[in-house]
Amino acid sequence: MPKELWKGNEAIAEAAVRAGLEAYFGYPITPQTEVLEYLSRRMPELGRAFVQAESELGAINMVYGAACTGVRVMSSSSSPGVSLMMEGLSYIAGTEIPAVLVNVMRGGPGLGNIAPAQGDYYQAVRGGGHGDYPRIVLAPASVQEAIDLTALSFDLAEKYRMITMLILDGSTGQMMEPAEMPAMQEIKRKNFEWATNGAMNRERRILSSIYLNPLDEEKTNLRLLTRWQDVQANEVRYKEYFLEDAQFIVIGFGTAGRVALSAVREARAQGIKVGLLRPITVSPFPYEALEQLTGQAEAFLVTEMNTGQMLDDVMLTVRGRKPVEFYGRPGGVVPFPDEILNEIKRIAAGPVPVHSNPRVSWLHRATAHA
Amino acid sequence: MAAKGWIEVSDTYCKGCELCLSACPQGVMELNMERLTPKGYHPAHTFKDGCTGCAICAVVCPDAAITVYREVTKAAPVAATA
Amino acid sequence: MITPNNLVYERPEAFTESPTHYCPGCTHGVAHRLVAEVLEEMNVVDKTIGVAPVGCAVFAYNYFNTDFVEAPHGRAPAMATGIKRVLPERVVFTYQGDGDLASIGMAEIVHAAARGENITVVFINNANFGMTGGQMAPTTLPGMKTSSSSLGRDVETQGYPIQVSEMLSTLAGVGYCVRRSLHDPKNIRLSKKAIRTAFETQVRGLGFSIVELLSTCPTNWGMTPVNSLKFVEEHMIPAYPLGDYKISEAVKQIKV
């Protein structure tokens, strides 16, 4: 298919449609409202279900209902709205059914602003909803990647009967880039043996997340965790740039990773042996890849658009064996490549000590300028 | 003449809630204090004749514990026309 | 001696064999029975998907022989919307208590009704949060004692009850909205007719349907089952008058 100019949010919407999205339930919130608006025209055009719900709370519960029937269903929101969905996500996880959620992150916490941020990493990757449940989280850094990962998220959600979240920030949602849209997939309703779609010619089924007997709930928790082992073993994805001989390794996801790539290219042009590891799945996190790089690297630089969230996953893996530095721009500020380039140069000039808390040393540098 | 009816109250479902007793228009129901269901309730039963099979007990029963039967009466044969 | 001709009434097949966990005399059982009878009579049991609430009826799915899903507290109308929008030819109903529907679920029920979702809501109003031990609910009567209004509901500080049927009937998307009661055989029969009409409304695509059923809660009201029926008659009906609050012209044509 030829490339066309696509706006991030609309590209995600269309990619979902092409992947067989049968139902979309959403609510307006900047900077993702275009997903809702686009699908409000596109879904009825194709005779598929669309509802603008009374709130994000309503939306996620509509997703929950439709997901119980086994069709491909999605919602999208941005940070504060995703917070409202946490109850629903926990229920969906506890019911072990597939669903896709797109979070176009904005500055926070609280009402924050509508500028791009990555402040919901913890919420997406660690929990958000109550209880022990895993979820797959994908982080695109371009419109094309957003298209590709949207299609993938439905496949993964169904394969593992789990929530797949796509986290991007407002800039990727709003930007327009040339991208290739896959061909339209025909809707093929799969006959999942768990789906509650009206008990025609079969035993009736129940879908619920209630396990009153604690021993049954324990079994459920262990089952979810066991399934997660499969995901960790098979679904880790990341991109590597200039890593073969890299002495210094930058780690960033989404837009932060993309900006870092520009900095890394420029640093290489200036003779610094630096590379970039950009996780595509932030959950499951590429622990093994990072573990392997720990041997070769002299130092790591984690860069995110928050106050250091993926940083913890990096620290967990590196375990103090090599220095880890941090550079963050929270609150909706998008870093420029030269900011990250300066950090790379600072580290390359080194030596940098092994901090127990790179977040604090960054904080001092950040507030010293202010 | 009122039809003759009879009921069966299930020990599995009856909880001795007594709603059927006051609902019965013929007043022929009471709790059987001589027996207990497996859950420990005194089940309802008819204690005298007079059940007409009206099924009002079944209508008020929250547990669908009552099965109701009614005698099917045949009308007297019509005399041949003269 | 007993032939099928003799049978006047037996347990509906749409009921599973499980004895219910409801308190003796609780009219949840009556409402369940009526819904099961209606689904059987309409021959839609194997096309039905129920949405269970959080409340005493959280285990409703154990009693009906249909597919069932379990909603978070108050969200049943939203879940039902999700199901009905992707499976429009199935029969989808929610079964909710007054805490579930009128407290935490108020936004979901109003909007499902306003959107005219072709779902049927069976609304059990017994003026308290039953499952959690009898707390004050949006439908608790002024002066009524509950575990969170132990001196009796004080309208000055705890507000007034909400008349759900009256409120929902103002919405254009509603095809059928009535209030009935389960306190005596005549009213139980009228309730069944209303439930039937509500499901017919759905099956004919005539909009949102809801039947509010005044019900008892003997345990939390601290009364015998028989006395709690009297409480409904003497206290709840004056506060929640029985009647037809909205029947659209098209629904009026339905003959059951």
Side-chain angles (χ1 to χ4, degrees), chain A residues 35-367:
Chain A
V35 181
L36 173 89
E37 291 169 340
Y38 184 90
L39 291 172
S40 75
R41 295 184 304 270
R42 191 80 168 107
M43 297 296 270
E45 214 171 74
L46 297 165
R48 306 186 192 179
F50 169 90
V51 180
Q52 178 179 319
E54 58 271 20
S55 69
E56 288 88 346
L57 197 49
I60 193 65
N61 280 281
M62 292 177 195
V63 166
Y64 187 15
C68 285
T69 69
V71 305
R72 293 193 156 188
V73 56
M74 175 176 102
S75 184
S76 64
S77 188
S78 176
S79 317
V82 176
S83 286
L84 284 180
M85 295 185 173
M86 286 299 145
E87 172 197 61
L89 290 179
S90 178
Y91 276 75
I92 289 170
T95 308
E96 298 173 72
I97 52 180
V100 172
L101 176 64
V102 178
N103 181 2
V104 185
M105 299 180 283
R106 53 187 260 173
L111 191 53
N113 54 51
I114 57 173
Q118 296 183 323
D120 307 340
Y121 179 95
Y122 279 154
Q123 185 192 62
V125 158
R126 295 257 181 287
H130 57 283
D132 282 292
Y133 66 94
R135 84 290 299 155
I136 300 168
V137 183
L138 308 170
S142 68
V143 173
Q144 184 66 65
E145 222 165 54
I147 292 170
D148 300 337
L149 293 179
T150 299
L152 177 66
S153 51
F154 287 102
D155 293 334
L156 292 178
E158 279 174 6
K159 184 172 175 192
Y160 295 100
R161 289 179 64 174
M162 130 176 355
I163 295 162
T164 302
M165 269 183 82
L166 212 66
I167 58 171
L168 53 151
D169 58 64
S171 60
T172 314
Q174 292 296 319
M175 67 171 61
M176 293 195 80
E177 295 193 290
E180 219 179 282
M181 194 57 77
M184 180 74 89
Q185 259 185 54
E186 239 190 77
I187 293 200
K188 259 180 283 201
R189 284 207 179 153
K190 301 173 192 75
N191 217 352
F192 295 116
E193 92 272 346
W194 44 261
T196 49
N197 45 24
M200 317 259 325
N201 304 318
R202 59 160 171 81
E203 283 289 301
R204 63 75 171 251
R205 299 169 185 154
I206 301 174
L207 276 177
S208 146
S209 59
I210 194 171
Y211 292 93
L212 269 198
N213 181 346
L215 294 174
D216 289 335
E217 185 65 83
E218 184 179 41
K219 282 204 194 92
T220 298
N221 276 242
L222 296 177
R223 183 170 64 244
L224 291 178
L225 188 58
T226 304
R227 204 177 294 144
W228 183 242
Q229 306 308 303
D230 279 342
V231 177
Q232 286 186 305
N234 298 308
E235 307 296 345
V236 171
R237 289 166 170 79
Y238 51 88
K239 282 258 166 76
E240 299 175 296
Y241 306 87
F242 309 106
L243 281 181
E244 299 86 33
D245 64 337
Q247 291 171 281
F248 308 103
I249 300 180
V250 182
I251 310 174
F253 72 93
T255 295
R258 183 170 180 170
V259 171
L261 181 57
S262 299
V264 163
R265 287 196 214 274
E266 179 54 39
R268 277 279 173 178
Q270 295 182 19
I272 305 176
K273 288 204 163 80
V274 61
L276 171 70
L277 173 69
R278 181 164 71 76
I280 303 241
T281 53
V282 286
S283 173
F285 189 76
Y287 293 112
E288 263 182 50
L290 182 52
E291 172 68 31
Q292 279 170 26
L293 292 170
T294 303
Q296 125 195 15
E298 278 179 37
F300 291 97
L301 169 65
V302 176
T303 176
E304 304 178 75
M305 286 147 63
N306 55 42
T307 57
Q309 297 188 16
M310 186 188 63
L311 173 64
D312 291 344
D313 278 315
V314 173
M315 301 281 283
L316 251 166
T317 315
V318 175
R319 285 195 306 283
R321 290 174 286 174
K322 294 289 167 70
V324 176
E325 289 286 283
F326 176 69
Y327 183 74
R329 295 304 309 255
V333 179
V334 183
F336 280 96
D338 59 282
E339 294 169 48
I340 302 183
L341 178 61
N342 286 340
E343 280 294 292
I344 295 172
K345 286 192 196 159
R346 180 179 68 80
I347 294 168
V352 225
V354 174
H355 294 293
S356 58
N357 203 339
R359 191 185 281 106
V360 172
S361 62
W362 159 73
L363 182 62
H364 289 152
R365 286 192 299 277
T367 47

Side-chain angles (χ1 to χ4, degrees), chain C residues 101-102 106 110 123 125 138-141 153 160-170 177 179 210 212 214 236-242 245:
Chain C
L101 184 143
M106 190 55 103
V110 167
F123 170 36
N125 180 357
T139 49
T140 300
L141 304 176
R153 182 175 191 155
Y160 296 85
I162 300 178
Q163 294 173 309
V164 172
S165 289
E166 286 83 340
M167 200 177 77
L168 293 182
S169 69
T170 65
C177 172
R179 181 184 289 121
I210 178 169
E212 178 177 348
L214 298 185
M236 286 187 65
I237 291 181
Y240 301 110
L242 306 182
Y245 288 91

Side-chain angles (χ1 to χ4, degrees), chain A residues 23 50-51 54 57 61-62 64-66 69 87 189 196-200 202 204-208 210 212, chain C residues 16 46-47 49 59 61 64 66-70 72 75 78-79 82-83 85-87 90 108 111 115:
Chain A
F50 169 90
V51 180
E54 58 271 20
L57 197 49
N61 280 281
M62 292 177 195
Y64 187 15
T69 69
E87 172 197 61
R189 284 207 179 153
T196 49
N197 45 24
M200 317 259 325
R202 59 160 171 81
R204 63 75 171 251
R205 299 169 185 154
I206 301 174
L207 276 177
S208 146
I210 194 171
L212 269 198
Chain C
T16 64
D46 63 351
K47 286 176 32 173
I49 302 162
F59 295 124
Y61 52 72
F64 293 93
T66 64
D67 275 2
F68 244 92
V69 300
E70 176 77 69
R75 317 297 174 214
M79 272 191 92
I83 299 171
R85 288 289 183 133
V86 296
L87 297 177
R90 295 289 187 265
E108 279 65 55
H111 284 276
R115 286 190 305 264

Side-chain angles (χ1 to χ4, degrees), chain C residues 48-117:
Chain C
T48 299
I49 302 162
V51 185
V54 169
C56 283
V58 68
F59 295 124
Y61 52 72
N62 280 335
Y63 310 128
F64 293 93
N65 253 324
T66 64
D67 275 2
F68 244 92
V69 300
E70 176 77 69
H73 197 27
R75 317 297 174 214
M79 272 191 92
T81 297
I83 299 171
K84 185 79 183 188
R85 288 289 183 133
V86 296
L87 297 177
E89 72 294 343
R90 295 289 187 265
V91 174
V92 180
F93 78 98
T94 76
Y95 183 101
Q96 303 174 254
D98 47 280
D100 190 276
L101 184 143
S103 194
I104 186 170
M106 190 55 103
E108 279 65 55
I109 192 74
V110 167
H111 284 276
R115 286 190 305 264
E117 298 291 341

Side-chain angles (χ1 to χ4, degrees), chain B:
Chain B
M1 200 183 103
K4 183 168 184 295
W6 62 100
I7 63 168
E8 281 165 10
V9 179
S10 162
D11 270 8
T12 310
Y13 301 115
C14 177
K15 292 175 183 155
C17 76
E18 303 186 32
L19 292 190
C20 54
L21 309 196
S22 47
C24 174
Q26 315 305 324
V28 299
M29 296 188 71
E30 66 171 16
L31 292 191
N32 188 341
M33 303 309 279
E34 319 270 298
R35 294 181 51 239
L36 290 175
T37 67
K39 288 224 161 89
Y41 298 112
H42 290 296
H45 72 151
T46 46
F47 69 100
K48 62 179 182 186
D49 282 341
C51 172
T52 59
C54 72
I56 283 179
C57 55
V59 165
V60 302
C61 177
D63 295 276
I66 307 179
T67 309
V68 183
Y69 302 95
R70 193 187 296 151
E71 217 174 40
V72 176
T73 53
K74 284 210 179 79
V78 175
T81 46

